[in-house]
Amino acid sequence: MLRAFWRASDEAATAEFAARGLAGARIDRIATEARANKQAIYLYFGSKEKLFGAVVRAKMAEISDATEIDPDALAESVGRLFDWYREHPELVRLLLWEALESPREVQGQAELREEVQRKAGYFTEHGAGGVPDPARSQAVQDLMFTVFGLIAWNFAVPQLRRIILDEEDEAAALERRRASVMEAARVLAESHGFG
């Protein structure tokens, strides 16, 4: 019962927050869409801000569970990440709203940091037979942040993509961008001694 409540609330809250941000979202709309009691949502989450944080954490966990960065197949991993973002554009919108409306440390940030550090550590230790050291770890972190930016920007500013790219077809433009981002990730990895 609680799992069904969370799933319905999460889907409704994700759509509401992605469309309107933290300030513009309304718990009553979330409750109506989730077919849940508004007071139950407040009781379960505590506040609209905590619900927003839970939604962002859930989406971040979803992408973390769905995608792994394989040091031996970086370009393919980046292609899978690109595809995930294409299928889940709400994550970019949520992250943009979070940056605009909650610029300080957000709830759950420590857990997310641990997960990212685990992935970066794995990449550092297994990529190109690497030996863990601080400089190599920082290179992996920089590479990860840059690659995520290259992917997310395509979905954060689709109007800019349409202005810059000379593509009539949206799907063709995204395939072109996917290939370009994969190649950029490969080149960046090689320039940092990975791959």
Side-chain angles (χ1 to χ4, degrees), residues 44-187:
Y44 188 77
F45 294 101
S47 69
K48 183 169 74 166
E49 291 76 14
K50 288 182 180 177
L51 174 57
F52 180 76
V55 166
V56 173
R57 282 193 320 275
K59 273 305 193 196
M60 292 297 289
E62 190 179 321
I63 190 173
S64 181
D65 293 343
T67 59
E68 282 292 329
I69 306 248
D70 181 353
D72 297 321
L74 180 64
E76 293 80 8
S77 297
V78 168
R80 285 190 298 276
L81 272 171
F82 191 98
D83 294 341
W84 193 94
Y85 273 94
R86 183 183 344 198
E87 294 168 16
H88 301 89
E90 66 277 4
L91 177 59
V92 171
R93 292 185 60 89
L94 290 167
L95 292 173
L96 290 171
W97 282 118
E98 181 182 61
L100 289 169
E101 298 179 324
S102 303
R104 63 196 181 288
E105 186 164 323
V106 294
Q107 68 169 263
Q109 192 167 336
E111 295 87 2
L112 290 172
R113 185 178 292 123
E114 286 176 18
E115 176 63 15
V116 169
Q117 287 174 342
R118 182 193 66 75
K119 288 186 179 224
Y122 178 84
F123 192 98
T124 302
E125 292 172 24
H126 295 92
V131 177
D133 68 54
R136 189 166 173 84
S137 294
Q138 286 183 338
V140 167
Q141 292 166 357
D142 288 337
L143 177 62
M144 287 176 71
F145 190 76
T146 301
V147 167
F148 284 129
L150 288 171
I151 294 169
W153 194 244
N154 290 283
F155 306 101
V157 289
Q159 72 281 18
L160 191 57
R161 185 185 67 232
R162 288 188 293 270
I163 290 168
I164 294 174
L165 299 184
D166 186 24
E167 293 284 352
E168 295 289 326
D169 180 81
E170 182 84 4
L174 284 171
E175 283 307 312
R176 178 176 161 192
R177 289 300 308 141
R178 182 183 191 272
S180 181
V181 169
M182 289 172 64
E183 178 62 13
R186 187 192 62 73
V187 169

